[in-house]
Amino acid sequence: MTERIVTVFDRCFSDAEGLNTRLVGGYEEPYYRPADRAPGSVHQIEFTRDYAASALHEAAHWCVAGAERRRQPDYGYWYAPDGRSAAQQAEFERVEVKPQALEWIFSVACGLRFRVSADNLDAGLGPSPAFKRNIWQQVQRYCKCPGEGKPAINDRAITFARALARAFGSPDPLRAERYRLEDLG
């Protein structure tokens, strides 16, 4: 499963114009390493061990990150480890809506069940109902087609979602009716 996800990602983006990015598992913690200036250097998205959910989540962060962010280690994002305060958790939920919405789309494309991650087990704070609702609403926005019939997400996310669906024999994952708030538990 995870090997196929990596293969699909690398086929889409390792040689793509200017993207030069690979998805690599086997790490204790996820991290994004932009390419250095050495010839042949590639951008590397590192995900936890061989977990499919981690691979999809980190690919989602890469899809959300703009060109400037993709030049910075770990996209230059703020991150507080497990054990966040309620205020830090609220900030985490605010910035995680878009990547988790994309992760859900990518999971559906692979035929996997998506689980919302509050990423704060030590504090005993699970994902709030508002966080779940915001993720679902973001998926609905991502799947909404403006005038040209193209989903309202960037080309990298569309490319990856549809390539995953082809590889896993799934229907188009960019159809809003495939996502229900109740599915988020």
Side-chain angles (χ1 to χ4, degrees), residues 4 18 30 41 45 47 49 56 60 79-80 106-107 125-126 130-131 133 135-136 140 155-156 171 175 178:
R4 194 173 342 165
S41 179
I45 303 167
F47 64 93
R49 296 183 182 87
L56 297 174
Y79 181 77
F106 298 159
S107 295
L125 299 173
F131 185 37
R133 185 177 52 258
I135 291 170
W136 175 77
Q140 297 301 302
D155 288 339
R156 286 174 290 133
R175 305 215 17 123
R178 297 193 69 197

Side-chain angles (χ1 to χ4, degrees), residues 2-11 13-14 20-27 31 42-48 51-52 54-60 62 75 160 164:
T2 307
E3 287 178 20
R4 194 173 342 165
I5 292 168
V6 168
T7 298
V8 169
F9 185 92
D10 289 353
R11 280 187 189 147
F13 305 115
S14 66
N20 196 27
T21 305
R22 296 200 181 261
L23 184 61
V24 184
Y27 292 87
Y31 195 77
V42 298
H43 306 290
Q44 185 165 296
I45 303 167
E46 301 171 354
F47 64 93
T48 307
Y51 301 152
S54 179
L56 297 174
H57 184 78
E58 297 312 313
W62 180 80
Y75 313 108
F160 189 50
L164 286 169

Side-chain angles (χ1 to χ4, degrees), residues 90-171:
E91 178 65 7
F92 170 85
E93 289 187 2
R94 186 187 70 73
V95 300
E96 278 287 310
V97 168
K98 288 181 178 183
Q100 290 205 29
L102 280 181
E103 180 188 348
W104 190 6
I105 290 169
F106 298 159
S107 295
V108 165
C110 294
L112 295 173
R113 181 166 184 246
F114 170 73
R115 289 185 174 86
V116 175
S117 175
D119 196 32
N120 200 7
L121 301 174
D122 288 348
L125 299 173
S128 70
F131 185 37
K132 292 177 183 179
R133 185 177 52 258
N134 290 340
I135 291 170
W136 175 77
Q137 288 172 334
Q138 185 63 53
V139 167
Q140 297 301 302
R141 283 191 291 276
Y142 279 155
C143 292
K144 187 175 184 171
C145 296
E148 302 96 48
K150 182 178 173 186
I153 57 178
N154 68 49
D155 288 339
R156 286 174 290 133
I158 293 169
T159 296
F160 189 50
R162 290 195 167 141
L164 286 169
R166 282 190 303 278
F168 287 90
S170 299

